[in-house]
Amino acid sequence: MLQLRIVSPTKVVYTGEVDSIEVPGYNGRFEVLNNHAAILSLLVKGNVRYKNAEGEHSVAIEGGFITVKNNEVTLSVEQ
């Protein structure tokens, strides 16, 4: 499982455990799964999609960045 935290300048959009997350990266969409290599990447306008025990969810963003390390994923986004 991944620990996901999505934050914007004004609020915490989501925090919790997820199975996977797909993001609109600067060089195209990519997916983060359990035990993903550490990464820091720019995000562009699009939808962040994540799957958890309740199902699939989507969050629209204008841009931001993602950090992944030790199964902890943080997205700092503009909405």
Side-chain angles (χ1 to χ4, degrees), residues 21-32 39-49 61-66 75 77:
I21 180 169
E22 185 179 314
V23 296
Y26 181 77
N27 290 319
R29 294 193 67 79
F30 66 92
E31 186 173 26
V32 176
I39 188 173
L40 170 63
S41 182
L42 289 174
L43 300 176
V44 296
K45 184 176 181 175
N47 289 313
V48 172
R49 296 184 185 113
I61 65 167
E62 293 296 317
F65 66 90
I66 180 174
L75 277 70
V77 301

Side-chain angles (χ1 to χ4, degrees), residues 47-50 56-60:
N47 289 313
V48 172
R49 296 184 185 113
Y50 60 92
E56 296 184 20
H57 308 273
S58 182
V59 176

